[in-house]
């Protein structure tokens, strides 16, 4: 690439693979340059799953390829060509080499990354990279005569992430100064704003007379187990993906996961196929068994669209509208369609708003003061608890497990086993293909761990082994017994649940949504309660052996 000063350096991050990105507004192929950086640190700051790293790098390379084919100038700093340790290293090198007039990017979805970029830009300005450019570019000299122009603000522009349906200012306005936020009310506003699933004959009213059909959706599979499970489609790795697989195996060989069956969409074209496959083959049955779990059922009727959405290969509005159109065209089950749309139009947008509203405090929140380290078997699945073994095993195999597996198995154990929220959050950020901090952190710290004290959930998500037994077949053949609270066969989910209630009896009793749990606790004899405490203490002292 010729070493001529560039007008704009347009920074595209690994989860910003959006052809309609705000960063490209006004892009002039003759004088602007796109910069994309593969950095080791992005796979090592948490111990990133090989599948997650492969997905990001392959999708980035495909995206860069597409821009180059458009005739745009792209500086792509790959791990093998440049070996940048951090994004900052890559950006600084590009600033020095290209001496751009300005850097443009879309607001990162991870405040750590934003800070890193801002720091490096400040360093570059201070160390004279920008000044060197100023001296060499006479046209620019005039612009920079005013010293105010040669400041950080004039040099680095963050543009809004237009991918989202609710802008951050809109979310902030909606949230106001309220200490407690409820997704349900936000979701209703979004339904009205986007006119999704609204009753054409009753203005302002939801289709079917209800905003939320969750009550129809939480079924188990019953004894027979899942029937007529749809087959997941496969995406054959092309030369780019094969190269990345080789690279990841070479540099991150000790990281969790295997790449032999890598099968996630890495281009917009593949993401659109994934969307069509879901709408045609799984959306009609999405709702009823959305929460159910079963041994070796890797994906069920879930959409598997989160990674494509989070990389920005898909736009959330197009996904929502595709589901609504299918509902109208094929008269699908409203509970399934509403349940699916709520996840995207409601939860996904809501979580993003919460992240930016509550950071940086959310990152260190620890309402219960939990300090236990993460049991080693979170990285191997090698535990006697069959529910954990299955959910972790699936996660390590695919980089994926569904919402209830994340919330009510791996997440719930984290709360009742009093594990440090930061240790759990790092694990979630590392092992899922869809993990980006803006969505991972509020889900894990906020929803699963109650680490923010219930900012947007009315109660902690805790339950005994009876819940797992009802919603799955995991307890069959497990070493432990879901109903047993004390003794060698006591189910850790159950013992730790009762122990948790015992520890927090007063706060659970004072909450109308959890008061019944406390009534059940109080039915236990004092002797049994004491025995539960003892057994729980034994478990908590040696989580690795469970
Ligand atoms: P589906 O069940 O088919 O749902 C459709 C879409 O709705 C998803 O693709 C996703 O984009 C969106 N969605 C659903 N639930 C949520 C939610 N709670 N928050 C935000 N979006 C949602 N989702 C991520 O995208 N990245 C994460 O890192 C992540 N971490 C999580 C950690 C925990 C502890 C929990 C409880 C949930 C987490 N989720 C995360 C939310 C949810 O579990 C995943 O989005 C979902 O399992 C992805 O699978 P899917 O695409 O098949 O989703
Ligand atoms: Fe999990 Fe307990 Fe059931 Fe075993 S018995 S699978 S530990 S809930």
């Amino acid at each position: 690439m010729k070493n001529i000063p560039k007008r704009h350096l347009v920074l595209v991050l690994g989860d910003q693979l959006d052809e309609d990105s705000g960063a490209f507004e006004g892009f002039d192929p003759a004088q602007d340059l796109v910069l994309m950086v593969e950095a080791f640190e992005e796979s090592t700051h948490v111990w990133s799953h090989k599948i997650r790293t492969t997905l990001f790098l392959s999708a980035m390379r495909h995206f860069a390829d597409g821009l180059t084919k458009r005739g745009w100038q792209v500086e792509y700093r790959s791990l093998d060509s440049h070996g940048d340790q951090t994004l900052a290293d890559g950006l600084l090198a590009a600033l020095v080499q290209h001496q751009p007039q300005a850097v443009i990017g879309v607001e990162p979805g991870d405040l750590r990354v934003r800070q890193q970029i801002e720091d490096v830009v400040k360093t570059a300005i201070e160390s004279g990279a920008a000044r060197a450019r100023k001296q060499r570019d006479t046209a620019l000299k005039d612009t920079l005569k005013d010293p105010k122009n040669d400041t950080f603000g004039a040099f680095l522009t963050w543009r809004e992430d237009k991918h989202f349906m609710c802008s951050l200012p809109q979310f902030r306005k909606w949230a106001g100064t309220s200490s407690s936020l409820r997704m349900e009310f936000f979701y209703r506003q979004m339904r009205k704003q986007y006119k999704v699933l609204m009753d054409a004959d009753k203005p302002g009213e939801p289709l079917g007379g209800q905003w939320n059909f969750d009550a129809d959706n939480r079924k188990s599979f019953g004894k027979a187990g899942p029937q007529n499970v749809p087959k997941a489609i496969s995406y054959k790795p092309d030369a780019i993906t094969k190269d990345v697989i080789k690279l990841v195996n070479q540099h991150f060989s000790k990281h969790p996961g295997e790449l032999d069956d890598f099968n996630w969409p890495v281009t917009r074209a593949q993401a659109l196929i994934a969307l069509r496959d879901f709408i045609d083959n799984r959306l009609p049955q999405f709702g009823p068994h959305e929460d159910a779990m079963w041994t070796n059922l890797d994906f069920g009727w879930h959409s598997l669209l989160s990674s494509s959405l989070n990389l920005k290969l898909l736009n959330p509005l197009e996904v929502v509208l595709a589901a609504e159109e299918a509902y109208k065209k094929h008269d699908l089950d409203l509970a399934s369609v509403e349940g699916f749309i709520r996840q995207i139009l409601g939860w996904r947008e809501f979580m993003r708003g919460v992240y930016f509203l509550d950071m940086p405090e959310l990152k260190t929140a620890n309402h219960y003061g939990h300090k236990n380290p993460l049991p080693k078997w979170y990285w191997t699945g090698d535990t006697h608890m069959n529910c954990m073994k299955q959910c972790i095993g699936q996660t390590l195999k695919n980089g994926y497990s569904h919402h209830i597996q994340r919330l009510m198995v791996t997440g719930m154990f984290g709360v009742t086993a009093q594990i440090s929220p930061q240790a759990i959050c790092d694990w979630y950020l590392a092992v899922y293909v869809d993990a980006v901090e803006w969505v991972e952190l509020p889900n894990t710290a906020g929803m699963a761990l109650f680490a923010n004290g219930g900012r947007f959930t009315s109660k902690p998500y805790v339950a005994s082994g009876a819940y797992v037994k009802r919603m799955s077949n995991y307890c069959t053949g497990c070493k432990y017994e879901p109903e047993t609270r004390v003794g060698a066969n006591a189910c850790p989910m159950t013992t730790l649940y009762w122990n948790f209630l015992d520890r927090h009896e007063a706060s659970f009793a004072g909450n109308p949504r959890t008061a019944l749990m406390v009534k059940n606790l109080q039915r236990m004899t004092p002797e049994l309660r004491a025995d539960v405490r003892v057994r729980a203490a034994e478990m908590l002292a040696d989580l690795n052996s469970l």
Side-chain angles (χ1 to χ4, degrees):
M1 186 161 303
K2 274 194 244 143
N3 211 359
I4 330 163
K6 295 287 180 295
R7 187 183 65 149
H8 295 157
L9 190 65
V10 177
L11 181 62
V12 174
L13 301 173
D15 65 335
Q16 296 181 340
L17 311 180
D18 181 355
E19 290 171 359
D20 299 322
S21 165
F24 299 143
E25 271 165 27
F27 187 87
D28 178 355
Q31 38 174 358
D32 298 335
L33 172 71
V34 173
L35 173 68
M36 296 179 75
V37 178
E38 293 180 358
F40 280 100
E41 190 191 43
E42 295 309 302
S43 297
T44 55
H45 78 100
V46 289
W47 202 36
S48 184
H49 195 300
K50 288 193 196 103
I51 295 184
R52 177 172 178 260
T53 298
T54 301
L55 171 68
F56 272 74
L57 298 188
S58 175
M60 283 171 75
R61 290 181 182 202
H62 280 94
F63 188 75
D65 217 31
L67 296 182
T68 310
K69 283 182 183 137
R70 270 189 207 177
W72 289 15
Q73 299 184 72
V74 179
E75 171 155 325
Y76 193 91
R77 300 177 64 91
S78 67
L79 285 183
D80 28 0
S81 64
H82 291 77
D84 293 318
Q85 286 304 318
T86 65
L87 285 171
D89 292 342
L91 176 56
L92 187 58
L95 287 175
V96 171
Q97 183 185 348
H98 301 292
Q99 300 169 17
Q101 181 181 342
V103 175
I104 293 173
V106 159
E107 298 160 310
D110 180 335
L111 289 182
R112 172 189 60 88
V113 170
R114 182 178 178 135
Q115 191 62 52
Q116 204 179 91
I117 293 168
E118 293 186 353
D119 287 349
V120 86
V121 165
K122 278 181 196 146
T123 309
I125 290 174
E126 280 159 21
S127 69
R131 272 176 215 292
R133 176 259 306 138
K134 191 169 90 175
Q135 282 155 13
R136 288 168 50 172
D137 185 339
T138 40
L140 203 59
K141 247 185 198 161
D142 293 338
T143 332
L144 293 176
K145 262 183 197 148
D146 177 356
K148 283 201 296 292
N149 270 351
D150 198 16
T151 58
F152 173 72
F155 192 65
L156 173 66
T157 304
W158 289 127
R159 291 188 180 160
E160 190 187 332
D161 196 338
K162 293 189 310 173
H163 164 92
F164 291 97
M165 299 168 76
C166 179
S167 70
L168 294 177
Q170 184 191 334
F171 189 85
R172 254 180 236 118
K173 193 165 165 215
W174 173 80
T177 51
S178 178
S179 60
S180 137
L181 305 173
R182 290 292 172 262
M183 193 288 296
E184 186 62 30
F185 300 116
F186 168 77
Y187 166 59
R188 291 178 192 181
Q189 180 182 299
M190 293 295 282
R191 286 264 297 271
K192 288 184 198 162
Q193 183 180 336
Y194 282 90
K195 300 186 176 49
V196 172
L197 297 183
M198 298 300 291
D199 191 329
D201 300 325
K202 297 182 190 154
E205 293 295 317
L207 213 56
Q210 260 171 255
W211 290 102
N212 182 319
F213 288 84
D214 233 7
D216 298 348
N217 281 342
R218 295 179 177 143
K219 299 186 174 68
S220 70
F221 288 121
K223 283 213 168 67
Q227 305 292 314
N228 306 318
V229 181
K231 219 172 153 252
I233 47 171
S234 65
Y235 314 91
K236 209 166 166 254
D238 64 3
I240 295 181
T241 302
K242 282 183 188 158
D243 276 354
V244 171
I245 288 176
K246 221 163 118 191
L247 182 85
V248 170
N249 276 330
Q250 185 189 338
H251 289 291
F252 306 106
S253 60
K254 298 220 156 39
H255 283 227
E258 297 301 332
L259 293 171
D260 298 340
D261 299 318
F262 177 82
N263 192 34
W264 290 97
V266 291
T267 61
R268 174 155 169 81
Q270 288 183 341
L272 287 171
I273 293 172
L275 173 59
R276 185 45 43 210
D277 177 52
F278 168 68
I279 298 283
D280 292 346
N281 301 318
R282 299 197 295 285
L283 176 62
Q285 291 297 319
F286 173 82
H289 302 301
E290 190 188 340
D291 288 5
M293 303 172 275
W294 203 262
T295 306
N296 295 330
L297 180 73
D298 286 359
F299 305 118
W301 286 261
H302 287 269
S303 72
L304 314 179
L305 294 177
S306 52
S307 65
S308 299
L309 279 162
N310 297 352
L311 293 177
K312 319 283 162 66
L313 299 173
L314 288 178
N315 181 278
L317 183 57
E318 78 182 320
V319 176
V320 165
L321 293 182
E324 190 186 35
E325 189 193 303
Y327 164 75
K328 288 182 184 156
K329 220 164 144 185
H330 306 296
D331 196 21
L332 299 185
D333 168 38
L334 182 56
S336 279
V337 177
E338 186 283 316
F340 174 72
I341 286 179
R342 179 166 13 99
Q343 308 309 316
I344 295 179
L345 188 59
W347 278 113
R348 188 168 182 271
E349 297 288 327
F350 178 82
M351 288 304 196
R352 175 179 182 252
V354 167
Y355 175 78
F356 284 101
L357 207 59
D358 287 359
M359 278 296 274
E361 291 79 10
L362 187 59
K363 185 94 179 154
T364 50
N366 193 350
H367 177 70
Y368 292 119
H370 287 164
K371 292 198 179 88
N372 281 336
L374 192 74
K376 292 198 180 92
W377 41 257
Y378 264 80
W379 297 107
T380 61
D382 194 8
T383 160
H384 301 294
M385 299 171 68
N386 196 36
C387 50
M388 296 295 272
K389 190 191 192 91
Q390 295 300 328
C391 295
I392 294 172
Q394 257 175 258
T395 300
L396 295 176
K397 179 174 153 217
N398 302 314
Y400 177 89
S401 68
H402 73 60
H403 186 69
I404 291 303
Q405 294 173 308
R406 299 186 203 195
L407 181 66
M408 298 303 287
V409 183
T410 44
M412 188 169 78
F413 183 82
V415 190
T416 58
Q418 303 170 27
I419 298 170
S420 138
Q422 283 70 47
I424 294 267
C425 289
D426 281 357
W427 181 80
Y428 276 94
L429 194 56
V431 295
Y432 287 103
V433 283
D434 51 35
V436 184
E437 195 174 85
W438 66 263
V439 57
E440 175 278 324
L441 191 63
N443 267 297
T444 311
M447 189 190 276
L449 304 179
F450 206 74
N452 60 355
R455 167 90 152 126
F456 58 85
T457 52
S458 56
K459 64 179 178 64
Y461 284 93
V462 287
S464 72
Y467 175 84
V468 177
K469 186 180 172 196
R470 189 168 70 251
M471 296 307 294
S472 74
N473 69 340
Y474 295 154
C475 300
T476 316
C478 180
K479 168 182 166 179
Y480 302 110
E481 295 163 355
E483 287 86 9
T484 307
R485 292 178 270 208
V486 293
N489 294 338
C491 161
M493 289 291 192
T494 299
T495 307
L496 295 177
Y497 163 76
W498 289 111
N499 182 62
F500 189 75
L501 284 190
D502 185 57
R503 271 168 71 97
H504 301 290
E505 184 173 353
S507 69
F508 274 69
N511 177 344
R513 295 208 59 201
T514 50
L516 188 63
M517 292 168 154
V518 174
K519 285 224 167 73
N520 290 333
L521 174 77
Q522 289 168 347
R523 281 198 196 104
M524 283 163 67
T525 62
E527 293 74 24
L528 181 56
R529 273 179 84 155
D531 287 348
V532 166
R533 276 181 218 134
V534 170
R535 182 67 187 117
E538 287 166 5
M539 290 177 174
L540 291 168
D542 193 6
L543 293 174
N544 281 321
S545 71
L546 292 178

